[in-house]
Amino acid sequence: MNAYEEYMKQVAQPMRDELTGAGFTELTTPEEVDAFVSEMEGTALVVVNSVCGCAAGLARPSAKESLNHTKRPDHIVTVFAGQDREATNRMREYLEGYEPSSPSMAVMKKGQVVHFIPREEIEDHEVEEIVANLTNAYDQFC
């Protein structure tokens, strides 16, 4: 690992911890992504995490807050764009039909995307709007 990669790993660690501390499972390899999707029972919230400002100020807090809802996904997982590239690229293969977007969030049911929130629906939106977007999907699919 070169000095830049090591620096970015250290910079990103608190951003990883914000989600893993809330109970998200980090998928860091393509094999972990494949195993998760192929073995998935029920529903999942997948957060494509990133270092961008809208991830910090909007996406991660919204994802965490949405979990206080009465209905919620059976699984919560995350991949980190720009950090765990291979895992993120593999997850994006399962998010087929949606442009790669960081940050983004998907609700999956039995391995299929049933609701997707791209960066455009995160950036310049209020946390409450994003939480409502997620919880409406939970009510519908979970």
Side-chain angles (χ1 to χ4, degrees):
M1 186 177 303
N2 67 35
Y4 174 76
E5 289 170 335
E6 182 59 35
Y7 171 77
M8 287 308 296
K9 184 177 173 189
Q10 290 173 13
V11 166
Q13 192 59 52
M15 299 169 198
R16 291 176 182 275
D17 295 345
E18 188 174 351
L19 290 180
T20 58
F24 281 79
T25 299
E26 229 177 7
L27 305 176
T28 60
T29 67
E31 294 78 18
E32 288 175 351
V33 171
D34 287 339
F36 173 77
V37 175
S38 67
E39 297 165 13
M40 185 172 114
E41 297 284 329
T43 56
L45 171 62
V46 177
V47 175
V48 178
N49 200 353
S50 73
V51 295
C52 105
C54 57
L58 299 167
R60 287 191 297 270
S62 298
K64 290 182 347 186
E65 188 174 320
S66 76
L67 300 176
N68 295 325
H69 193 59
T70 49
K71 280 188 161 184
R72 57 175 277 180
D74 301 306
H75 310 279
I76 51 175
V77 298
T78 181
V79 292
F80 207 114
Q83 294 291 303
D84 302 318
R85 287 181 177 87
E86 295 84 7
T88 302
N89 289 340
R90 181 61 52 85
M91 182 58 79
R92 285 179 171 152
E93 291 175 22
Y94 291 106
L95 305 177
E96 67 179 304
Y98 299 97
E99 288 293 315
S101 183
S102 305
S104 61
M105 295 180 256
V107 176
M108 297 180 83
K109 187 169 190 167
K110 297 180 184 169
Q112 301 296 312
V113 177
V114 292
H115 187 74
F116 187 76
I117 303 175
R119 178 183 177 140
E120 297 76 47
E121 292 179 31
I122 296 170
E123 197 171 37
D124 298 327
H125 287 74
E126 297 295 324
V127 167
E128 295 76 18
E129 292 176 272
I130 303 162
V131 170
N133 189 337
L134 284 168
T135 56
N136 288 337
Y138 301 166
D139 287 341
Q140 187 175 354
F141 300 108
C142 296

